[in-house]
Amino acid sequence: MAQAATIIIGGGIAGLWLCDALRRRGDPVVLLERSGLGDGQTIRSQGIIHGGVKYALAGALSESAANIGEMPARWMASLEGTAEPDLRTARLRTRYCHLWQTEGLRPGLGMLGARLALQVTPEVLAAAERPPVLRECPGAVMRLAEPVVDVASVLGVLAARNAGHLFLADSIDFAPDAGGRVSAVQIRAGTKEPHRIVASQVVIAAGQGAAALRSQLGLNPALMQRRPLHMVMVRGALPELNGHCVDGGSTRATITTVVDAAGRMIWLVGGLIAEQGVGMTPAALLG
C-alpha cells in the first residue's frame, strides 16, 4: 500500500515554505500546483516582510500586527543562512524600508501607533540621514527593519530545494472515506493518466483558488480572507524607494522598487491607492 502523504495544494510562498518544513522534518509530502509556482498572489506581491508597523498605525496593537511581529527577524535568519530554509542564494533587495509622514490632519497619531510594543519599531532619522528622495519630506522620516526580497528568486530557491515533491495538476479530485475525510486525491496533468495519491492530510494554500477547492470539499467558500488590490506600476527615471507613506492612521501608499529587463526603474505602488483602486478603471486610477 502506498505511503500516505501530506498533500499541499498551492505553490505560492505559503505552500512552498510548508513543503520545505515538512520535508526537512522527514514527513512524506506532495505539493500540487495547477499553473506555475507563485503564479497568483505571491509573484504579484511587493516582497516586503512586514513586522506589523503598518497595521498598528491606527494607534492600537492589533492582532494582525502582533501575529507577524517576528517575521522580519525570522526571514533575515533564513536570508543569512542561520536558519532553515537556507535562502542565502535568494536576492535581498534591501534590509530596510522607510516610513515617511505627510503634512495632514492628525499626522502624529499614526506614528504613535507605529511606536507601540512591536519587535520592529521605527527609528527616526535626522535630515542628513534621510535617503535623497525623502530629504525634503515635510513630515517625519523613519527607518524600519522590514526587509524587501526579490519574490521570484525566493520562489526559485524553494522550488529547487523541494523539486522532487512538486507536481503539476491540471485537475484535482478528492476521494472521501466513509467518514467524509479525504483519504486520497486524484490528479491529472495534460493527457497523462490520472494519478492517485493517498492522503494523511490535505492543506489548502491556494490563495484565490481556495474558494473553488473549499466548494469541492463541501466547505463554505466565503470563509476565507479576501483583500482585493489594484496595484499601480510607475516606470521612468525614478530613484530607488521602498517603504510606506502614512497619513494619520492609514497607509496612503506603499512603494517598492524593481528594475525591469531593460534596466529601467519601476515603482510598485500599493496601500490605500490600491485598495480604493479596486473599484476604478485603469484609466481612472492612473488619472
Side-chain angles (χ1 to χ4, degrees), residues 58-150:
L61 185 58
S62 67
E63 182 179 359
S64 297
N67 286 343
I68 62 173
E70 297 179 4
M71 293 300 286
R74 176 65 187 84
W75 270 79
M76 282 307 305
S78 283
L79 291 163
E80 293 171 348
T82 60
E84 293 286 358
D86 187 338
L87 300 178
R88 280 177 292 178
T89 54
R91 189 160 71 86
L92 176 65
R93 291 184 190 160
T94 178
R95 296 178 69 96
Y96 300 98
C97 283
H98 286 90
L99 208 65
W100 63 98
Q101 183 178 0
T102 62
E103 282 187 320
L105 296 176
R106 306 187 310 126
L109 293 184
M111 288 298 182
L112 177 62
R115 291 192 184 99
L116 291 174
L118 298 169
Q119 295 193 35
V120 176
T121 54
E123 174 191 357
V124 179
L125 297 179
E129 297 176 304
R130 297 181 178 189
V133 66
L134 299 175
R135 195 65 52 82
E136 303 301 324
C137 181
V141 176
M142 302 184 180
R143 183 163 52 211
L144 196 58
E146 290 186 343
V148 182
V149 300
D150 178 82

Side-chain angles (χ1 to χ4, degrees), residues 204 207 210-211 214-215 218-226:
I204 297 176
R214 288 180 64 86
S215 293
L219 302 173
N220 186 348
L223 295 179
M224 56 179 286
Q225 184 187 51
R226 296 178 185 273

Side-chain angles (χ1 to χ4, degrees), residues 6-260:
T6 295
I7 300 175
I8 302 169
I9 303 176
I13 188 62
L16 284 167
W17 193 288
L18 176 59
C19 179
D20 193 273
L22 293 176
R23 179 190 58 75
R24 284 185 278 108
R25 198 170 69 176
D27 293 0
V29 57
V30 171
L31 184 146
L32 306 176
E33 169 58 42
R34 285 179 170 169
S35 51
L37 294 175
D39 185 21
Q41 291 175 235
T42 296
I43 201 63
R44 291 171 175 81
S45 71
Q46 291 180 275
I48 299 176
I49 310 301
H50 291 289
V53 172
K54 69 174 289 184
Y55 302 112
L57 292 175
L61 185 58
S62 67
E63 182 179 359
S64 297
N67 286 343
I68 62 173
E70 297 179 4
M71 293 300 286
R74 176 65 187 84
W75 270 79
M76 282 307 305
S78 283
L79 291 163
E80 293 171 348
T82 60
E84 293 286 358
D86 187 338
L87 300 178
R88 280 177 292 178
T89 54
R91 189 160 71 86
L92 176 65
R93 291 184 190 160
T94 178
R95 296 178 69 96
Y96 300 98
C97 283
H98 286 90
L99 208 65
W100 63 98
Q101 183 178 0
T102 62
E103 282 187 320
L105 296 176
R106 306 187 310 126
L109 293 184
M111 288 298 182
L112 177 62
R115 291 192 184 99
L116 291 174
L118 298 169
Q119 295 193 35
V120 176
T121 54
E123 174 191 357
V124 179
L125 297 179
E129 297 176 304
R130 297 181 178 189
V133 66
L134 299 175
R135 195 65 52 82
E136 303 301 324
C137 181
V141 176
M142 302 184 180
R143 183 163 52 211
L144 196 58
E146 290 186 343
V148 182
V149 300
D150 178 82
V151 176
S153 70
V154 172
L155 290 171
V157 173
L158 290 174
R161 286 171 57 94
N162 300 282
H165 301 263
L166 314 178
F167 297 91
L168 181 68
D170 293 331
S171 65
I172 299 174
D173 294 298
F174 300 103
D177 59 20
R181 178 181 176 277
V182 175
S183 59
V185 173
Q186 182 169 284
I187 65 172
R188 182 189 294 272
T191 58
K192 296 180 180 179
E193 290 295 314
H195 183 72
R196 185 174 182 272
I197 306 171
V198 179
S200 59
Q201 59 185 334
V202 175
V203 179
I204 297 176
Q208 188 173 351
L213 291 167
R214 288 180 64 86
S215 293
Q216 279 184 254
L217 291 166
L219 302 173
N220 186 348
L223 295 179
M224 56 179 286
Q225 184 187 51
R226 296 178 185 273
R227 189 167 174 258
L229 300 172
H230 196 168
M231 302 285 289
V232 174
M233 293 193 298
V234 181
R235 183 169 58 197
L238 300 168
E240 184 171 357
L241 181 60
N242 297 281
H244 315 285
C245 174
V246 301
D247 187 2
S250 64
T251 306
R252 178 176 290 184
T254 292
I255 299 172
T256 54
T257 304
V258 297
V259 181
D260 69 9

